[in-house]
């Protein structure tokens, strides 16, 4: 009864991501979560294949993260960061500087991934403005890129692929290279980067930075590409005096098999955006790191201040949980876990490649993607319920059925997810 009432109220009054208030999508109420399991209000328990959008890498209701949050809440939930500092922010900054590339020495704490991207964009523009290069204020990114939902971030995301195209006329006009398609370094050809090279060589005088998601394009299409592409981008940025921003918000903290995806290319960015898994999925927090070169460049005229300061900047509760999450990760055998998930995803998803409706199956680290020939939009009236009826939480979008489970998932739970994908594909084949 209560449950029906809740869902009715929700449908009438609450927006969910990318939804219409007049045609609300099917919604399930979650009452608790533990490990890789979500318990729904109707009593069912389902296996989470999404890690709540890349974030709950250690699973839900983790004793150590709970403990960290409780301890912090009893001393100080929040205090403004203007003119004040605190141990959780200092500890977290120290950890982030420690685990990222050595040249990244300065940390800006943002309140969400999109804001971390906004801050990165500001840093790059301010850097060049402070050198008197006021023409350098445009950005070069990839087609299929996704960098967030705020206006600066939208403007460097794919201009056509459906997330933001209605805002085209109000967004800043940036440059887009074709989405990288070379997946393995051994298949690399010079022609893979021809258009990118041409864009940066023609426009470097007006380019503040290149911004890309390293190795995995997430919400813009779940596409993978090879480390060599990143190495080439780094070299071109150096050659043409353009900063490199890496948006690791989706890939950070082990998802692709290394702590950060850029490590596979053996390069480092001038500016790095972190988010999503930063607090192990407990609460919202993001960070933008930059090199001393960028930070000192922004302050070049002696008074250059970075113009950003969100109210909940460096929220102590979030910083404290983030510290604990990083410790839990680094103390665990996460590399083996991710490797094992990868091998199991390859073994159990690849067979679906032979199904007629499947265009491609791909796996990287703890990410498994089944790309279909046709978008699923017309299936959305029955598909979400059908998926939950299989005992799993998987949320397809466009032509993609994909999973990125918590790293702690056990073999049989992961099999439930991959088997469910098979059942979903069977069902779709019959339509
Ligand atoms: C999710 C995401 C963002 C935006 O983060 P929010 O916390 O949702 O604002 C930015 N970049 C990438 C690569 C993402 O996956």
């Amino acid at each position: 009864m209560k449950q029906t009432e809740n869902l009715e109220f929700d449908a009438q009054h609450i927006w969910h991501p990318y939804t219409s208030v007049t045609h609300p999508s099917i919604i399930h109420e979650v009452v608790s979560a533990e490990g890789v399991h979500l318990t729904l209000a109707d009593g069912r328990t389902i296996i989470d294949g999404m890690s709540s959008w890349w974030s709950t890498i250690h699973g839900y209701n983790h004793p150590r993260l709970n403990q960290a949050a409780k301890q912090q809440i009893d001393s100080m939930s929040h205090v403004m960061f203007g003119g004040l500092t605190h141990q959780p922010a200092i500890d977290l900054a120290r950890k982030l500087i420690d685990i990222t590339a050595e040249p990244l020495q300065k940390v800006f704490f943002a309140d969400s991934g999109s804001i971390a991207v906004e801050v990165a964009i500001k840093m790059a523009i301010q850097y060049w403005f402070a050198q008197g290069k006021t023409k350098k204020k445009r950005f070069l990114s990839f087609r299929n890129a996704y960098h967030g939902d705020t206006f600066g971030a939208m403007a460097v995301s794919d201009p056509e692929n459906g997330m933001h195209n209605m805002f085209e006329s109000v967004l800043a006009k940036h440059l887009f290279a074709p989405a990288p398609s070379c997946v393995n370094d051994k298949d690399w050809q010079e022609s893979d980067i021809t258009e990118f090279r041409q864009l940066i060589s023609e426009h470097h005088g007006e380019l503040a930075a290149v911004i890309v998601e390293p190795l995995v394009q997430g919400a813009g299409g779940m596409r993978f590409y090879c480390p060599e592409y990143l190495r080439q981008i780094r070299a071109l940025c150096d050659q043409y005096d353009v900063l490199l921003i890496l948006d690791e918000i989706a890939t950070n903290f082990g998802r692709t098999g290394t702590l950060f995806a850029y490590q596979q290319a053996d390069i480092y960015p001038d500016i790095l955006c972190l988010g999503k898994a930063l607090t192990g999925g407990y609460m919202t927090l993001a960070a933008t790191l930059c090199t001393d070169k960028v930070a000192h460049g922004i302050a070049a005229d002696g008074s250059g201040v970075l113009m950003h300061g969100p109210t909940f900047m460096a929220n102590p509760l979030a910083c404290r949980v983030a510290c604990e999450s990083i410790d839990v990760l680094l103390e665990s055998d996460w590399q083996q876990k991710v490797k094992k998930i990868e091998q199991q995803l390859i073994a159990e998803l690849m067979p679906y490649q032979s199904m007629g409706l499947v265009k491609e199956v791909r796996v990287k680290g703890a990410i498994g993607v089944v790309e279909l020939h046709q978008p699923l939009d017309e299936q959305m009236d029955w598909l979400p319920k059908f998926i939950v009826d299989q005992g799993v939480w998987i949320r397809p979008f466009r032509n993609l059925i994909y999973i990125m489970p918590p790293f702690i998932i056990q073999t049989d739970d992961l099999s439930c997810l991959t088997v469910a994908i098979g059942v979903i594909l069977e069902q779709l084949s019959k339509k």
Side-chain angles (χ1 to χ4, degrees):
M1 193 57 218
K2 181 76 187 319
Q3 189 200 346
T4 323
E5 221 176 273
N6 273 353
L7 292 182
E8 271 168 18
F9 182 90
D10 188 292
Q12 278 165 24
H13 298 285
I14 309 180
W15 258 301
H16 287 265
Y18 316 106
T19 55
S20 151
V21 286
T22 53
H23 296 92
S25 47
I26 295 167
I27 286 292
H28 297 92
E29 186 185 345
V30 182
V31 290
S32 66
E34 172 79 37
V36 299
H37 297 100
L38 307 178
T39 300
L40 304 181
D42 61 15
R44 289 184 293 174
T45 295
I46 56 177
I47 300 168
D48 177 27
M50 307 302 296
S51 294
S52 283
W53 279 336
W54 312 87
S55 66
T56 44
I57 50 176
H58 312 300
Y60 300 87
N61 215 353
H62 192 284
R64 280 182 60 185
L65 301 193
N66 288 4
Q67 173 79 358
K70 283 173 190 163
Q71 276 176 357
Q72 185 58 40
I73 216 167
D74 282 337
S75 85
M76 169 174 69
S77 292
H78 183 64
V79 65
M80 65 185 279
F81 212 51
L84 300 173
T85 194
H86 46 78
Q87 198 69 49
I90 292 165
D91 289 345
L92 181 56
R94 189 171 275 136
K95 278 183 206 298
L96 294 179
I97 289 167
D98 259 9
I99 61 176
T100 55
E102 196 277 328
L104 297 164
Q105 288 291 325
K106 300 285 191 275
V107 184
F108 187 101
F109 288 115
D111 36 11
S112 73
S114 300
I115 301 305
V117 170
E118 297 290 331
V119 169
I121 288 171
K122 274 193 190 176
M123 281 180 180
I125 292 174
Q126 281 196 236
Y127 173 82
W128 293 113
F129 275 34
Q131 333 290 306
K133 299 197 174 159
T134 50
K135 285 209 193 76
K136 283 172 84 72
K137 57 187 177 192
R138 293 182 81 191
F139 292 81
L140 169 58
S141 73
F142 285 138
R143 298 229 161 237
N144 289 93
Y146 175 78
H147 295 290
D149 289 348
T150 51
F151 275 80
M154 278 198 288
V156 291
S157 300
D158 189 294
E160 279 159 21
N161 78 2
M163 286 276 227
H164 303 129
N165 55 5
M166 84 178 72
F167 298 109
E168 222 228 293
S169 63
V170 280
L171 291 175
K173 295 274 174 288
H174 297 307
L175 297 162
F176 293 90
S181 54
C182 180
V183 180
N184 293 306
D185 279 355
K186 64 174 168 38
D187 302 322
W188 174 263
Q189 294 179 335
E190 270 308 297
S191 57
D192 286 323
I193 200 160
T194 306
E195 284 182 63
F196 186 99
R197 183 192 302 276
Q198 199 170 343
L199 284 167
I200 196 169
S201 73
E202 274 171 23
H203 296 276
H204 62 92
E206 48 174 344
L207 280 176
V210 165
I211 176 167
V212 300
E213 298 151 272
L215 303 192
V216 177
Q217 294 193 290
M222 299 299 292
R223 297 164 52 97
F224 305 150
Y225 66 94
C226 65
E228 181 59 24
Y229 208 116
L230 281 181
R231 280 191 286 273
Q232 299 273 339
I233 292 177
R234 177 72 269 182
L236 288 168
C237 284
D238 290 341
Q239 182 184 343
Y240 288 107
D241 219 8
V242 172
L243 297 175
L244 175 59
I245 302 170
L246 292 183
D247 176 353
E248 287 255 8
I249 291 165
T251 49
N252 54 194
F253 301 104
R255 183 58 64 179
T256 66
T258 47
L259 203 50
F260 302 102
Y262 69 77
Q263 293 169 327
Q264 292 175 44
D266 214 7
I267 58 148
Y268 67 86
D270 302 289
I271 301 173
L272 175 67
C273 300
L274 304 177
K276 288 197 165 108
L278 179 57
T279 63
Y282 264 53
M283 54 195 80
T284 179
L285 182 70
T288 310
L289 278 74
C290 74
T291 59
D292 278 337
K293 174 186 131 176
V294 171
H296 294 156
I298 290 168
D301 56 9
S303 61
V305 297
L306 182 62
M307 288 306 290
H308 213 90
T311 305
F312 288 97
M313 182 165 176
N315 172 251
L317 199 48
C319 287
R320 180 69 191 84
V321 174
C323 286
E324 195 67 19
S325 175
I326 293 171
D327 288 349
V328 169
L329 183 69
L330 297 182
E331 289 164 23
S332 72
D333 55 348
W334 62 272
Q335 271 150 313
Q336 280 92 311
K337 288 200 177 91
V338 171
K339 188 88 221 158
K340 207 168 145 236
I341 294 171
E342 181 175 56
Q343 284 162 352
Q344 194 181 341
L345 288 174
I346 291 171
E348 294 177 8
L349 291 181
M350 283 302 171
Y352 303 143
Q353 185 108 38
S354 61
M355 298 178 81
L357 75 170
V358 174
K359 186 173 169 203
E360 188 185 60
V361 175
R362 47 186 183 263
V363 172
K364 186 174 197 68
I367 311 167
V369 183
V370 178
E371 181 172 344
L372 309 181
H373 290 291
Q374 299 294 328
L376 290 163
D377 305 350
E378 279 162 25
Q379 320 299 330
M380 279 306 166
D381 50 340
W382 63 273
L383 187 57
K385 179 176 181 308
F386 182 82
I387 293 174
V388 169
D389 287 345
Q390 306 311 308
V392 297
W393 181 239
I394 299 173
R395 210 170 145 71
F397 76 100
R398 268 182 274 147
N399 61 336
L400 300 164
I401 302 174
Y402 66 104
I403 50 175
M404 56 266 196
F407 299 165
I408 56 148
I409 195 164
Q410 300 290 318
T411 312
D412 46 348
D413 283 335
L414 186 52
S415 286
C416 289
L417 288 170
T418 59
V419 167
I421 290 177
V423 175
I424 295 161
L425 292 170
E426 290 285 343
Q427 190 69 17
L428 286 165
S429 307
K430 289 190 211 140
K431 294 277 155 176

